[in-house]
Amino acid sequence: PLLPITTDDPVPGDLALAVGAVDVDVGARRRAVAIHNDHAAAIELTSCAATGTFAVTSTCPLTLAAGADAALDVAFDPDAVGAATGTLTITGAGFATGAIALPLTGTGIDQQVTLSTSVLEFPATYRWPITAPRATARLRNDAATPLVIGSLL
């Protein structure tokens, strides 16, 4: 999401960063929060911190020129299955409210996926006749949640 820093510094009520589902055994997923300085002068972001199982992985403090944009990376590394919430808090010199708080959400899942083989053996292939050899691997999802496959290569 785009987080505007204005002279009033409120965060719109419908603005939040939803990281999505992350396997508890895989590691962190990162998402970027775009920050835009609507002030007429540069501002100093003096502190950027996240609560819960969320962490800020970008460099902070930083100076943001008037009208400029910057990205803050937030990582979600769940330690349990289920919904997780946190808050990204950004403080800075000249903020009208002292700090900006952005709600963070994510879900820890436990995918239990197995592949029937780690190597596919294809038979020898000849140029004529043109017949594509086949090899089979089975993917099994033993988790209570659906497995979403983004692509197969």
Side-chain angles (χ1 to χ4, degrees):
L2 178 63
L3 180 59
I5 299 174
T6 65
T7 53
D8 297 332
D9 300 328
V11 172
D14 61 344
L15 192 59
L17 178 64
V19 178
V22 177
D23 193 318
V24 296
D25 300 322
V26 173
R29 175 182 293 165
R30 289 175 171 72
R31 291 286 186 257
V33 176
I35 300 172
H36 178 76
N37 180 7
D38 280 344
H39 288 261
I43 58 169
E44 177 79 19
L45 304 181
T46 56
S47 173
C48 308
T51 62
T53 54
F54 298 88
V56 177
T57 59
S58 299
T59 302
C60 195
L62 66 94
T63 301
L64 194 55
D69 296 326
L72 283 179
D73 289 328
V74 176
F76 173 51
D77 191 5
D79 54 10
V81 173
T85 59
T87 303
L88 170 63
T89 303
I90 303 168
T91 58
F95 280 25
T97 58
I100 295 174
L102 180 70
L104 305 170
T105 62
T107 304
I109 59 172
D110 188 15
Q111 289 289 345
Q112 299 167 359
V113 178
T114 56
L115 190 58
S116 62
T117 183
S118 61
V119 176
L120 288 178
E121 297 283 339
F122 289 92
T125 306
Y126 302 98
R127 296 184 85 178
W128 188 262
I130 300 173
T131 318
R134 293 184 181 192
T136 302
R138 297 194 191 290
L139 182 66
R140 181 180 170 129
N141 179 17
D142 292 323
T145 57
L147 174 65
V148 178
I149 299 175
S151 66
L152 294 174
L153 302 175

